[in-house]
Amino acid sequence: MFSAQKSCGSRKGAFARALQKEWRQYRYVYLMAIPMIVYYILFCYMPMYGASIAFKDFVPKLKIAGSPWVGFKHFRSFFQSVYFTRLLTNTLALSLGNLVFGFPAPIILAILLNEVRQNWFKRTVQTISYLPHFISVMVICGMIVDFTASGGVINDLLSLFGFKRQTMLLNPSLFRPIYIISEIWQSVGWGSIVYLAALTAVDPALYEAARIDGAGKFRQILHVTLPGIAPTIVVMLILKMGSMMSVGSEKVLLLYNSNTYSTADVISTYVYRKGLLENNFSFSTAVGLFNSVINFTLVVLANQISRKVNDTSLW
């Protein structure tokens, strides 16, 4: 028993010495990390307590602790709501559209830019494609509204080919294409930065070997470039899956209207209306929590599938 206590004490002493050595060597790094840790504690972990109002009838006067518990009442109300199917369908439609058309776009742009040999042209294209990312959502939506108006530039171009002028954002069938195309335009340049960085790690000798074997540009991209950046693509896809259900409420709120609710109303805009406009905080929290659980589940599933298929995963 004495020897066991002595062994335990020696392990604790070794751990303390290792900790002191780690602190002396990296103390400035840890000090720099303190603001980030405080930020996450204050704005990410402490607010988790507020999610409990999803299971309560929250009364501001009684605060969170004093509000009565109601269990899954608000979740059942949402699932039985006439809006549930519409919200889920619209959210999935916009998310899948962004995934199918928006996710490959930065990859394609990065590969095309990687093949450009004129540096001035490459820098010009990069600058132009990055610019929309730095424009605020409010300005972007204002531009979209102006461009798609009956007298806007898009209608001017379409009228040349015989199409009838219309205010496109009043047409429910056009809302999703407008949203997805504008998302691609806004994010394609910024998203390509990650893949351009990954392309620099691909061994040039592999391209030389492929050329010797008679492979053209397309086959080099297919058999060298894409496999070389596959781990990056997989990681970005897993992260994308984690936000599939979180369609940006700000942009939808600024673009949709009562005419397009049938195809534009999504979970995040519904949470905004119920929580902030109708002051139904418990119900909106329940809907938001349901949305977060679905996102978390998608991340876990995508990670597991990726690990089994190609041995690449986040954890």
Side-chain angles (χ1 to χ4, degrees):
M1 181 176 179
F2 177 75
S3 61
Q5 290 177 345
K6 185 177 180 181
S7 175
C8 182
S10 64
R11 285 198 298 270
K12 288 181 179 179
F15 176 75
R17 288 192 295 272
L19 196 61
Q20 289 175 359
K21 181 181 178 182
E22 181 82 4
W23 170 255
R24 286 195 301 268
Q25 189 172 359
Y26 300 107
R27 60 184 178 274
Y28 296 115
V29 176
Y30 289 121
L31 287 171
M32 290 172 62
I34 289 175
M36 180 191 67
I37 295 170
V38 171
Y39 169 84
Y40 276 99
I41 291 173
L42 290 178
F43 298 104
C44 295
Y45 289 100
M46 289 180 65
M48 287 182 182
Y49 170 67
S52 62
I53 68 173
F55 306 95
K56 295 186 173 189
D57 269 333
F58 176 67
V59 181
K61 185 173 69 174
L62 299 176
K63 300 183 180 180
I64 296 177
S67 299
W69 290 93
V70 294
F72 292 95
K73 170 188 170 183
H74 301 299
F75 292 93
R76 287 194 297 269
S77 297
F78 176 57
F79 297 149
Q80 295 168 4
S81 168
V82 294
Y83 300 111
F84 176 73
T85 303
R86 184 182 78 179
L87 293 170
L88 195 61
T89 301
N90 292 342
T91 304
L92 287 174
L94 289 177
S95 298
L96 288 173
N98 271 331
L99 184 67
V100 172
F101 299 105
F103 183 76
I107 302 172
I108 295 170
L109 178 61
I111 292 174
L112 291 176
L113 287 174
N114 190 57
E115 296 297 326
V116 174
R117 294 294 172 260
Q118 296 292 334
N119 286 331
W120 67 268
F121 181 75
K122 184 175 182 179
R123 288 195 297 268
T124 302
V125 172
Q126 285 179 299
T127 302
I128 294 173
S129 62
Y130 295 167
L131 282 177
H133 175 79
F134 298 99
I135 303 175
S136 71
V137 176
M138 182 72 74
V139 176
I140 288 287
C141 291
M143 294 169 65
I144 294 171
V145 170
D146 289 340
F147 290 164
T148 58
S150 59
V153 63
I154 295 178
N155 273 288
D156 290 341
L157 292 173
L158 292 176
S159 64
L160 297 176
F161 297 95
F163 289 94
K164 185 180 178 181
R165 289 181 177 273
Q166 61 173 316
T167 303
M168 295 180 174
L169 286 176
L170 293 179
N171 188 339
S173 63
L174 293 179
F175 181 86
R176 290 173 185 169
I178 291 171
Y179 182 91
I180 292 168
I181 291 170
S182 64
E183 278 288 295
I184 295 172
W185 169 63
Q186 193 174 358
S187 61
V188 64
W190 186 256
S192 66
I193 293 175
V194 175
Y195 301 107
L196 284 170
L199 285 168
T200 60
V202 179
D203 190 356
L206 296 175
Y207 291 105
E208 185 64 31
R211 281 194 293 271
I212 292 173
D213 289 340
K217 284 292 181 184
F218 180 76
R219 288 193 175 275
Q220 289 177 36
I221 292 171
L222 192 63
H223 297 291
V224 178
T225 304
L226 289 178
I229 63 174
T232 303
I233 294 175
V234 169
V235 170
M236 298 302 293
L237 179 61
I238 294 172
L239 294 175
K240 184 77 172 178
M241 292 292 290
S243 60
M244 267 196 66
M245 299 291 287
S246 300
V247 178
S249 59
E250 301 90 352
K251 191 170 182 179
V252 176
L253 280 170
L254 292 168
L255 292 178
Y256 81 160
N257 52 70
S258 57
N259 290 332
T260 56
Y261 275 178
S262 59
T263 57
D265 197 18
V266 294
I267 291 176
S268 55
T269 55
Y270 185 67
V271 168
Y272 167 79
R273 290 201 307 276
K274 298 297 287 188
L276 296 181
L277 301 184
E278 300 180 18
N279 295 325
N280 196 343
F281 302 113
S282 293
F283 184 83
S284 62
T285 303
V287 177
L289 187 59
F290 161 77
N291 199 34
S292 299
V293 170
I294 297 298
N295 279 332
F296 176 75
T297 304
L298 289 173
V299 169
V300 173
L301 288 176
N303 190 74
Q304 293 296 326
I305 293 171
S306 175
R307 182 188 296 175
K308 290 181 180 181
V309 172
N310 59 12
D311 296 326
T312 302
S313 62
L314 287 176
W315 67 86

